[in-house]
Amino acid sequence: MVAEHKYLAEQGAKLVELRVDFIGRSIDLKRLIGERPTPVLMTARRREDGGRWMKSEEERQMFLRSVIAAGVEYVDLEDDIADQIPRYGKTKRVISHHNMESTPDNLEELHERMSKLDPDIVKIATMATSFRDNVRMMNLVKNAKIPTIGICMGEIGVITRVMANRLGSPFTYATFSEDKAIAPGQLNWKEMSSLYAYDTIDEHTKLFGVVADPVAHSYSPLIHNKAFKKIGLNARYLPFRVAKSDLPAFMDSIDELGIHGISITIPHKSAAMDYCTQVEASASGIGAINTMVTSDGNRIGYNTDYRAAMDCIMEAFKLDPEVKHSMHGITALVLGAGGVTRAIAWGLKQRGAEVTVSSRTEDRARSLAGELGCRYVLWDDRYDNKYRLLINGTPVGMHPDVDTSPYMESALNPLMVVFDTVYNPENTMLVKYARRQQARVITGVDMFVRQAAYQFKLFTGREAPSGLMRETIKQATNPVQIKE
């Protein structure tokens, strides 16, 4: 723990929490704090509060008193024992309350009660079970008269950690290692300080984000935040995990939270249209959006998946985008029946292509084909015809299942264009097959960067640094290979 403390100080950490309940039976307090490189917050958390303290409660409270006597900068005292441990010296008291199951309805009453326990800082950490829990917690922190840290734990509550500085919290929490999260939903120091630059998010920072369930896997915060930084915008792009049932609460909170635009992905692309005041014609035709921009009470929906995919395809076939039915006579097989597939298939139909849909789930393929007015074939029959354009809109070949392909190599040929929407990895097995057969290739990275660049311009009114976006996603999805 001493070595880790020094490392964090070297990385720029200004305050470090020492969780002594993680040390074990033997605690050398003098060594822990004797030559501390930063101020510390000492914590000995009980098991019922999410900690690992194994000794008696009497020993724990005795240890906390010794910590205060030693003159550390901060000590964490749970609200049910705070009145048993008096203030002494210059040590500041963080009075804390933890609920590992839910976020209670009486947050304000809880905060008021804790405010009477002689705190310098009130800390409330609860488990988020809905997005609305985040909003209630952030409002509590923002309106508190005593310095307050309010955290909603779990992936749903990540934004309460990132937004701490904007809300007025004295500090927030991160883990020093990617592999050692102390609490559910806790981000690591690098993410908090570099990816989100949490300590510079203020009342002037414009907020954007991605809405999905799940959302932790998304690379969108990485590429957008790097792009914002590149062109010097005071803006942040955050991950919002929102369940289907929670979408209304999230949409009701957009203006309150000051969110100016969102990327929308699974499972909300269709449902989000109901919350738009206006939808561009192509998104309306597709029946799904992946982008919403808010301004002066208006919410405008777009589908940048469609725009990006069509750009990629038109370039591959060297066709004029101004010609209405430029793809007339081109046969296309679209694999999958999800949101991306729907957008691409709709665009192909608009340009006159002969579109066939195939999915591992027959009912979904039949339904999509019926809605778009195109053919569908059974998954096992997808090789029965010849196609000029093959599009994979399934997750087959996506990390970590990188050794599979939705289409066999022997069915590919040099006259085809093969488009794999999977971007992690970029060089999927299908892409490798296509290149071996000398087919023209469109990768998922090509589409991902284009759609993100379109979103960036819709969000900011400025051209995106597409080269930086491409480099960032490639680095994130392709670890450095060591050559022997």
Side-chain angles (χ1 to χ4, degrees):
M1 186 174 282
V2 173
E4 293 166 355
H5 191 178
K6 290 180 179 178
Y7 170 78
L8 282 172
E10 292 169 357
Q11 298 302 306
K14 299 175 183 177
L15 172 67
V16 172
E17 180 185 39
L18 299 182
R19 285 290 300 270
V20 295
D21 51 299
F22 276 71
I23 293 178
R25 303 291 297 184
S26 177
I27 302 172
D28 187 342
L29 180 59
K30 183 177 180 181
R31 182 167 181 265
L32 273 179
I33 66 173
E35 297 181 4
R36 54 190 182 278
T38 71
V40 297
L41 165 61
M42 297 293 289
T43 304
R45 189 77 67 214
R46 298 170 299 196
R47 297 181 70 83
E48 59 264 35
D49 295 315
R52 297 185 182 180
W53 183 265
M54 299 297 292
K55 300 179 184 179
S56 70
E57 176 61 10
E58 181 181 0
E59 289 174 290
R60 190 178 76 94
Q61 292 190 29
M62 186 180 300
F63 176 78
L64 291 171
R65 290 186 181 92
S66 67
V67 162
I68 296 171
V72 300
E73 288 76 17
Y74 297 89
V75 64
D76 185 302
L77 305 172
E78 293 86 357
D79 57 332
D80 62 333
I81 67 155
D83 60 353
Q84 302 173 42
I85 300 179
R87 179 183 293 275
Y88 177 79
K90 296 182 179 181
T91 300
K92 292 185 177 180
R93 293 158 57 90
V94 178
I95 308 302
S96 66
H97 177 90
H98 294 78
N99 185 327
M100 309 302 293
E101 302 296 327
S102 64
T103 299
D105 294 332
N106 63 336
L107 277 180
E108 289 77 11
E109 293 177 17
L110 174 62
H111 186 276
E112 184 178 357
R113 178 175 61 78
M114 294 173 67
S115 299
K116 298 175 181 178
L117 296 172
D118 190 23
D120 293 288
I121 297 171
V122 171
K123 176 194 174 187
I124 300 177
T126 64
M127 184 62 69
T129 58
S130 71
F131 191 83
R132 191 64 195 171
D133 289 341
N134 294 327
V135 179
R136 293 195 296 120
M137 185 66 79
M138 290 191 289
N139 282 335
L140 177 76
V141 175
K142 184 170 59 176
N143 297 324
K145 295 179 181 178
I146 293 176
T148 298
I149 300 166
I151 293 171
C152 283
M153 294 181 284
E155 188 181 348
I156 295 173
V158 164
I159 64 164
T160 62
R161 299 176 183 275
V162 179
M163 294 274 284
N165 185 72
R166 178 174 171 132
L167 299 170
S169 290
F171 52 83
T172 186
Y173 291 75
T175 179
F176 84 96
S177 167
E178 294 181 14
D179 304 320
K180 293 185 178 180
I182 304 298
Q186 194 173 72
L187 300 178
N188 65 64
W189 164 253
K190 185 177 180 181
E191 290 174 308
M192 289 288 283
S193 59
S194 299
L195 175 57
Y196 296 114
Y198 77 95
D199 55 341
T200 59
I201 298 177
D202 57 28
E203 66 273 16
H204 303 296
T205 305
K206 286 193 172 183
L207 299 181
F208 303 90
V210 55
V211 182
D213 185 20
V215 75
H217 67 285
S218 176
Y219 288 101
S220 294
L222 178 64
I223 65 170
H224 280 285
N225 283 323
K226 280 206 170 185
F228 290 150
K229 184 176 180 180
K230 174 73 174 180
I231 66 174
L233 285 180
N234 183 11
R236 293 296 186 283
Y237 187 102
L238 308 176
F240 301 113
R241 182 178 178 182
V242 178
K244 273 186 177 182
S245 60
D246 221 15
L247 187 62
F250 173 79
M251 290 297 180
D252 287 345
S253 304
I254 284 180
D255 295 335
E256 183 179 356
L257 294 176
I259 298 171
H260 293 264
I262 50 176
S263 307
I264 302 162
T265 186
I266 297 172
H268 304 304
K269 289 186 176 184
S270 295
M273 290 182 65
D274 295 338
Y275 300 91
C276 294
T277 56
Q278 182 181 342
V279 176
E280 67 172 344
S282 57
S284 181
I286 294 164
I289 61 173
N290 77 328
T291 308
M292 180 187 290
V293 178
T294 67
S295 177
D296 298 325
N298 293 313
R299 298 179 178 183
I300 306 174
Y302 303 88
N303 196 306
T304 66
D305 284 339
Y306 155 78
R307 297 188 189 189
M310 291 305 106
D311 284 354
C312 290
I313 292 169
M314 298 298 280
E315 281 187 11
F317 280 101
K318 297 181 172 60
L319 298 175
D320 185 349
E322 299 300 320
V323 176
K324 187 173 182 180
H325 296 294
S326 56
M327 297 192 71
H328 180 74
I330 295 177
T331 54
L333 175 63
V334 183
L335 303 178
V340 170
T341 302
R342 173 184 291 273
I344 296 174
W346 185 88
L348 295 174
K349 283 285 294 179
Q350 295 300 302
R351 287 158 177 75
E354 298 175 17
V355 181
T356 301
V357 175
S358 185
S359 171
R360 292 169 294 177
T361 306
E362 181 184 350
D363 289 346
R364 295 188 67 190
R366 184 191 300 113
S367 175
L368 180 59
E371 292 176 31
L372 299 180
C374 59
R375 297 178 61 245
Y376 86 92
V377 296
L378 298 176
W379 186 254
D380 291 341
D381 297 335
R382 64 194 185 281
Y383 302 111
D384 290 356
N385 294 293
K386 300 293 184 182
Y387 301 98
R388 289 284 310 283
L389 172 63
L390 172 69
I391 298 168
N392 175 38
T394 77
V396 177
M398 182 184 295
H399 180 81
D401 192 22
V402 297
D403 295 323
T404 59
S405 170
Y407 212 71
M408 61 186 181
E409 182 176 0
S410 60
L412 305 175
N413 64 70
L415 299 178
M416 296 177 70
V417 170
V418 176
F419 181 1
D420 195 341
T421 65
V422 170
Y423 63 82
N424 184 20
E426 179 177 19
N427 291 311
T428 61
M429 189 60 69
L430 176 59
V431 167
K432 292 176 183 177
Y433 287 167
R435 286 181 170 147
R436 284 209 294 252
Q437 295 303 316
Q438 300 180 22
R440 284 168 289 174
V441 170
I442 303 168
T443 72
V445 168
D446 295 330
M447 177 180 169
F448 183 80
V449 171
R450 283 182 186 254
Q451 68 83 25
Y454 273 129
Q455 287 184 330
F456 188 91
K457 188 168 185 179
L458 290 169
F459 291 157
T460 67
R462 297 174 63 174
E463 295 295 332
S466 297
L468 174 66
M469 286 181 161
R470 180 176 294 275
E471 178 185 348
T472 299
I473 192 63
K474 281 177 172 286
Q475 289 179 351
T477 58
N478 293 284
V480 176
Q481 300 294 315
I482 299 175
K483 295 182 179 180
E484 297 181 357

